[in-house]
Amino acid sequence: MAVVSQEAINEFEALMEEVDESLKRTFQNVHQGYPHETLTRFLKAREGNVPKAHMMLVDCLNWRVQNNIDDMLSKPIVPVDLYRAIRDSQLIGLSGYSKEGLPVFAIGAGLSTYDQASVHYYIQSHIQINEYRDRVILPAATKKYGKHVNKCIKILDMTGLRLSALNQIKILTLISSIDDLNYPEKTLTYYIVNAPYVFSACWKVVKPLLQERTRRKIDVLSGSGQDELLKIMDYSSLPHFCQKTSGSSNHLDAYSENCYSLDHPFHQLLYAYIKQQALILEPAKPIKHGSVHVTLPEDADEGVIAKTLESELEKLKDAGGSPESIKDLRIHDHKS
């Protein structure tokens, strides 16, 4: 891993001052108040090479602008049954936090089927979880633990892995590329647990597709990895597939046991947050073009008409809309 100097960060920062305003705006959503730390991540991803790191970050910011990534958390996947199907076939969830305050994400790599929706929806879901992690989970962890938390831990469960999983290599490569190019250095370690005998064969195919810096972070643990993982996190933060012991079972609530499920608090909060953001960003309901409907009482005199118009125009102003010109204003006199 490259050691990043302050000189390199300063040079990188100067280059970023020259980018377009649209890129500077989306960069704020990327760095979340920690620009130097973010520049350091991209520098590490390019072995400390400033021009390459700059190109990587600019490409990332352009990708964000072109694909409206800043608004991704205001685009709920609907109907909810579709989102539930995605959660049942793209297994990922937040199981807890490490002793150092890093979020622990559980991933059901062996049992994820990616067969209940189009690739587009799985990619959208993946990006939304990334954005929610970076804009909500990590800032909350930073506040809670009193130090900057900008990485997570991922535990990949290989239970149920079959050679047929290689049929999903296209979507897995897309997801891996998105993370490598646009969310570099966000994962401290990838722990692989419950690896069956076919894992070695699948690994030979997948390994060359990963960046070298990603491969260096992968740690294959024996069995469920419980003993090793308990060195860095409490038992309550272990994913359900790491808590299993022979001859016994945990008596946890169903939603707590399965952090993949839409019914788990993490996914409930995530989905509610996205729906809330959608409502916040939803534009005011458009008024019918060229028409403002005002009901006037029968036999109304000019004074009443003036007051009624004034009242309705104030309502229109408060709603954030207004006729484009006086000729667009039409009054409909409904006699009762």
Side-chain angles (χ1 to χ4, degrees):
M1 186 66 66
V3 177
V4 177
S5 67
Q6 185 60 48
E7 182 181 358
I9 294 175
N10 292 342
E11 183 182 347
F12 197 173
E13 188 175 34
L15 289 173
M16 291 305 297
E17 289 296 324
E18 300 175 5
V19 302
D20 294 342
E21 287 301 319
S22 61
L23 301 190
K24 288 180 180 177
R25 284 194 295 272
T26 195
F27 184 48
Q28 292 177 353
N29 270 330
V30 174
H31 67 62
Q32 290 293 309
Y34 294 90
H36 284 191
E37 287 80 355
T38 301
L39 297 179
T40 299
R41 286 196 297 108
F42 278 83
L43 281 166
K44 287 182 177 180
R46 288 296 178 262
E47 301 299 326
N49 186 302
V50 175
K52 289 183 178 180
H54 176 250
M55 180 180 297
M56 181 187 187
L57 179 52
V58 169
D59 287 345
C60 164
L61 299 180
N62 278 314
W63 170 78
R64 294 181 66 87
V65 171
Q66 293 163 8
N67 293 280
N68 297 313
I69 302 300
D70 287 348
D71 294 334
M72 190 63 73
L73 288 179
S74 62
K75 298 177 181 178
I77 296 175
V78 291
V80 69
D81 287 345
L82 172 60
Y83 190 66
R84 184 177 293 278
I86 291 172
R87 292 280 59 85
D88 290 342
S89 54
Q90 183 186 33
L91 304 180
I92 183 171
L94 179 70
S95 66
Y97 294 82
S98 74
K99 294 176 182 178
E100 296 296 321
L102 277 63
V104 178
F105 283 90
I107 300 172
L111 294 174
S112 291
T113 57
Y114 298 96
D115 60 354
Q116 299 299 308
S118 67
V119 171
H120 166 80
Y121 282 118
Y122 286 114
I123 296 298
Q124 178 180 347
S125 169
H126 179 77
I127 293 174
Q128 285 179 332
I129 290 176
N130 278 357
E131 291 293 308
Y132 187 71
R133 174 198 65 197
D134 293 352
R135 293 198 242 170
V136 179
I137 298 295
L138 291 176
T142 294
K143 183 177 180 180
K144 178 179 179 180
Y145 291 93
K147 62 180 180 180
H148 185 215
V149 180
N150 69 341
K151 294 181 185 291
C152 68
I153 290 171
K154 292 184 178 178
I155 305 177
L156 284 68
D157 179 26
M158 295 297 165
T159 298
L161 183 69
R162 295 179 175 83
L163 285 175
S164 59
L166 294 176
N167 295 330
Q168 303 159 10
I169 199 68
K170 179 180 178 181
I171 187 171
L172 293 175
T173 300
L174 285 171
I175 288 175
S176 177
S177 296
I178 287 172
D179 286 351
D180 282 337
L181 297 175
N182 303 292
Y183 302 93
E185 300 298 318
K186 298 299 292 189
T187 302
L188 180 66
T189 308
Y190 299 85
Y191 293 104
I192 293 178
V193 302
N194 298 322
Y197 74 95
V198 298
F199 171 73
S200 295
C202 293
W203 180 239
K204 288 180 181 178
V205 176
V206 174
K207 186 176 180 179
L209 302 176
L210 301 176
Q211 296 286 336
E212 174 58 30
R213 69 177 190 279
T214 300
R215 295 199 293 266
R216 290 196 298 260
K217 297 177 183 178
I218 295 174
D219 191 356
V220 182
L221 303 181
S222 174
S224 69
Q226 184 179 113
D227 292 341
E228 290 298 314
L229 293 172
L230 283 176
K231 295 176 182 178
I232 62 171
M233 67 187 71
D234 294 332
Y235 186 86
S236 60
S237 289
L238 289 174
H240 61 279
F241 50 79
C242 294
Q243 294 180 347
K244 297 177 182 177
T245 56
S246 59
S248 66
S249 62
N250 300 294
H251 300 287
L252 300 175
D253 293 335
Y255 71 82
S256 295
E257 189 173 63
N258 182 5
C259 63
Y260 302 146
S261 171
L262 177 57
D263 298 321
H264 188 274
F266 167 70
H267 286 296
Q268 286 289 301
L269 289 171
L270 167 60
Y271 199 62
Y273 181 89
I274 293 174
K275 290 194 293 184
Q276 180 188 47
Q277 293 301 305
L279 290 175
I280 292 173
L281 293 182
E282 184 181 66
K285 292 183 179 179
I287 297 170
K288 187 176 180 181
H289 181 68
S291 164
V292 175
H293 296 274
V294 180
T295 302
L296 297 175
E298 186 174 3
D299 299 324
D301 60 28
E302 290 183 0
V304 173
I305 292 174
K307 289 183 179 179
T308 303
L309 278 176
E310 182 179 2
S311 174
E312 292 300 321
L313 288 173
E314 281 298 317
K315 291 179 184 177
L316 181 60
K317 179 181 178 182
D318 292 341
S322 62
E324 292 187 3
S325 69
I326 193 65
K327 69 182 181 189
D328 295 324
L329 184 62
R330 299 177 186 173
I331 302 172
H332 296 266
D333 188 356
H334 298 286
K335 303 289 185 179
S336 55

